[in-house]
Amino acid sequence: MDFSFSDEQQLLRENTAEFLEKNLQPFVRSIDDNGEIPENFFKKAGEIGIISPLINQKYGGPGLSFMDSVIISEEIAKVDTSMATAVYYLLNTSWAYILQKYGKEELKGRILPDIANGNKFIGIASTEPSGGSDVANITTTGEIKDGKVIINGEKMYISGAVEARKNGGGHLTLVKTDKSRGHKGITMVYVPADTDGVEITKLQNMGRMGISTSGIKYNDVEIPEENIIGKINEGFYYSMDGFNHARIMVAAACNGLSVKMLDEGLKYIKERGAFGKKLADFEAIAFEAADINTEIEMASLLNYKSAYMADMNDPDFYIFSSMSKLTSPQIAMDTVKKVMMWFGAYGYTKDSGIERSARGIFSYLVGAEGALNIMKMIISRAMLK
């Protein structure tokens, strides 16, 4: 077993960190305050191949591995700890991968290059107002007629819809094409956000302000049949494949945030004095730091295994990506909480930036890419066959 990164991966981490320090770090506060990631950041990230790294060179991407993509995700979360840029990245990475894997050649050639170079956004539209994680029971319909898919229905809590309409792009959208077949009657369709009949309503979140969360209504939206991803009525399986891979990126972002928060906390407790000592000299705090560091290391190793298995096309990788999604957000939230308490009153202020991290990480706890109890369901079913 080899637990080391290659020289190329070490260089990728260093170059990514250097790029982000220059092109993202100066804007992290304004991203949270203004609710928008600078548009030119995506183009610059696209130029060096870190906005959707799984896209093959054939379509203008770098064709990197899942392990490479995890490294990038960690570094992004270390810089923009609001998690907004990390969400944009994981969507662009994971769902471009699904489009590349299952989409028709014409559609891939038309869409993927613009995603790879940072000019367009791609996400997933599966969640509905009454369904949550119950993807199998969606009610949005897609009638295939005269070479078109006519879509009617509503999606909710969809990330990136405002950005997709403003900057170009759209969502891989799940629709019912055969109501009698349950999850076996679902089809995945690429729906550009600027299509006639698509109505977007922005929701107000508590965190990760730099990327929008929206409700989307489809009123007789007509999409060319060429935009169907893969085979008709197999969209449920494509979406599960996408979520399983996206969870690796989610966990990586959480682990990156945890590392950053612990680093900030360690600097503080080594400098801050109280009762004639440094905070780090108190065992209650030092031992807490030791626990956090151990948990972060465990979560990171688990996720690296998940990424390795994905790269090896191991059929059981989804179990481990679910374990990572179950574990990493909880450790990140616990890390942020404890570091904020080390900082005391200053940690509760916006000046510290810690509260920005706390608001952002909550989105991964409440359901982004699958609620925690869904992860337990997946893991337990795999264990119990």
Side-chain angles (χ1 to χ4, degrees), residues 15 17 21 36 46 50 55 57 78 114 117 194 245 259 273-274 298 303 306 320 342 353-354 372 375:
N15 289 343
E21 187 68 25
E36 187 174 12
I50 63 166
I55 295 178
Q57 293 180 4
K78 289 177 186 177
D114 279 332
N117 63 27
D194 60 358
H245 286 89
V259 169
M298 291 190 300
N303 200 45
S306 302
F320 290 86
W342 295 350
I354 301 174
L372 298 188
M375 300 305 103

Side-chain angles (χ1 to χ4, degrees), residues 1 4 46 93 101 129-130 132 142 152 286 310 339 342 357 377:
M1 301 177 70
S4 63
T93 299
K101 186 174 181 179
S130 61
N152 284 282
V339 169
W342 295 350
S357 305
M377 185 184 299

Side-chain angles (χ1 to χ4, degrees), residues 44 79 87 107 169 228 233 372 384:
K44 291 179 180 179
V79 175
V87 171
L107 182 64
I228 291 177
N233 294 330
L372 298 188
L384 301 170

Side-chain angles (χ1 to χ4, degrees), residues 235-251:
F236 175 82
Y237 304 104
Y238 306 148
S239 68
M240 292 302 104
D241 191 17
F243 285 125
N244 288 333
H245 286 89
R247 286 164 189 150
I248 301 173
M249 305 305 159
V250 169

Side-chain angles (χ1 to χ4, degrees), residues 287-336:
F287 285 6
E288 201 166 57
D291 286 338
I292 293 172
N293 193 38
T294 302
E295 290 171 353
I296 295 172
E297 186 71 11
M298 291 190 300
S300 298
L301 289 173
L302 176 60
N303 200 45
Y304 294 151
K305 180 174 182 177
S306 302
Y308 170 80
M309 294 176 73
D311 282 325
M312 294 297 105
N313 294 312
D314 190 312
D316 288 333
F317 97 90
Y318 75 96
I319 304 170
F320 290 86
S321 68
S322 298
M323 290 179 180
S324 290
K325 174 59 169 64
L326 174 65
T327 305
S328 295
Q330 297 186 76
I331 290 174
M333 186 73 252
D334 196 41
T335 300
V336 171

